[in-house]
Amino acid sequence: MAEENKENPESLSRRKFLRNTGFTVGGLAVGGVLGSLLPRKKEEKVAPATKAENFNQALMYFTPEQFQLTEAATERIFPEEESGPGAKALGVAFFIDHQLAGDWGFNAREYMQAPFFKGEKVQGYQGRLRRRDIFDIGLRELQNHSMTVHKKKFTELKEEEQDAILRDFEEDKVNLTTISPSGFFQMLRSATLEGAYSDPLYGGNRNMDGWKMRNYPGSQMAYTDIIDKDFKKINPQSLKNHLNH
């Protein structure tokens, strides 16, 4: 009978794994109270906690291919220079991804009912497609144009070749029937600049480096302690700094 109660090494290993990572419920790892319900032998130790990941740098809408394409394109629009990092290092593609996953991507705060007419440039976008749809089409066509011209993916091109592909979109030299090439480029360019200089809370401007390049103080709570003093350089603050207090 004693032999029947012994657990084989495989079950012991599985139980130890579950204790150290949390129960797996519906595909999600759950720790905390549920994890503490599993019995633990005295000689077994819990693995030390690892440093928390930055979950703000995680995809919410893009596929990995779309993200890589956006990262490469935005880097050419806002390249790294001596003055500071470019779009890739600033996390601009994450910013755009998060915006497309939210109200901006759904055009949630805009009137989107028919009839639809081609508006003047001063009127802004007047179409039926949501921004997330425009990005889906635009990125796909950007890749297609790259394959047509160079037989290579956009991410495999040299910098000057990527610039030429983007310029074709900017100057409406790509024949598209679903979206305006220049309209997509302008939307991508605007989103790139917003991602470089927005509050890091929204995924871009990593480490506030975009602000540091411009000596911009960011989201300060008040200036009452320095307003009557000589000019001084202020370390920028993010909205995240205030949320943590």
Side-chain angles (χ1 to χ4, degrees):
M1 294 294 292
E3 291 294 323
E4 294 179 0
N5 292 330
K6 288 184 178 179
E7 296 182 270
N8 61 52
E10 183 180 354
S11 63
L12 284 172
S13 177
R14 186 182 300 112
R15 187 175 67 180
K16 183 176 180 180
F17 171 79
L18 288 173
R19 276 202 299 269
N20 290 342
T21 60
F23 278 111
T24 300
V25 181
L28 298 176
V30 182
V33 176
L34 287 178
S36 67
L37 296 178
L38 283 169
R40 181 179 293 115
K41 292 183 178 180
K42 292 182 180 179
E43 64 274 12
E44 292 179 354
K45 297 181 180 180
V46 178
T50 57
K51 185 179 179 180
E53 296 290 338
N54 183 358
F55 294 107
N56 207 25
Q57 304 290 302
L59 296 183
M60 300 173 66
Y61 178 74
F62 283 146
T63 65
E65 183 180 14
Q66 287 177 318
F67 175 78
Q68 292 167 7
L69 189 54
T70 302
E71 197 172 54
T74 56
E75 180 67 17
R76 296 313 307 146
I77 294 172
F78 196 97
E80 180 178 359
E81 297 177 340
E82 292 181 0
S83 58
K88 182 177 181 178
L90 289 171
V92 166
F94 283 112
F95 168 83
I96 296 176
D97 168 78
H98 295 181
Q99 293 301 305
L100 291 175
D103 287 352
W104 187 78
F106 280 105
N107 296 59
R109 299 183 181 182
E110 299 170 35
Y111 186 80
M112 296 290 290
Q113 299 298 319
F116 298 97
F117 298 98
K118 185 176 180 179
E120 300 295 331
K121 289 185 177 181
V122 294
Q123 292 179 298
Y125 178 65
Q126 299 291 312
R128 70 181 70 226
L129 294 175
R130 297 184 177 95
R131 291 188 184 91
R132 52 168 44 197
D133 299 323
I134 294 173
F135 264 84
D136 285 345
I137 297 170
L139 292 174
R140 183 178 68 242
E141 295 300 340
L142 191 69
Q143 192 78 289
N144 289 341
H145 188 52
S146 176
M147 293 298 296
T148 299
V149 176
H150 298 287
K151 302 296 188 294
K152 293 181 180 179
K153 293 181 178 180
F154 184 84
T155 53
E156 298 172 346
L157 301 181
K158 297 178 181 178
E159 292 180 352
E160 58 269 21
E161 294 173 334
Q162 291 178 335
D163 291 345
I165 293 294
L166 291 171
R167 195 173 298 114
D168 285 346
F169 274 77
E170 182 183 17
E171 298 174 357
D172 280 322
K173 292 182 178 179
V174 186
N175 185 22
L176 302 180
T177 58
T178 49
I179 63 172
S180 161
S182 61
F184 167 67
F185 175 81
Q186 292 300 330
M187 187 177 293
L188 177 63
R189 181 182 181 276
S190 296
T192 298
L193 296 177
E194 290 170 11
Y197 297 120
S198 66
D199 194 285
L201 183 69
Y202 301 105
N205 190 14
R206 187 179 292 151
N207 299 322
M208 296 179 283
D209 286 338
W211 289 346
K212 293 173 184 175
M213 284 190 286
R214 300 287 183 177
N215 290 323
Y216 179 66
S219 304
Q220 300 286 330
M221 291 294 287
Y223 297 92
T224 52
D225 57 335
I226 60 170
I227 196 170
D228 58 344
K229 297 180 174 61
D230 293 335
F231 177 81
K232 63 178 292 187
K233 187 174 182 178
I234 307 172
N235 292 325
Q237 286 193 35
S238 165
L239 290 171
K240 292 194 297 185
N241 298 125
H242 308 311
L243 292 174
N244 293 331
H245 288 84

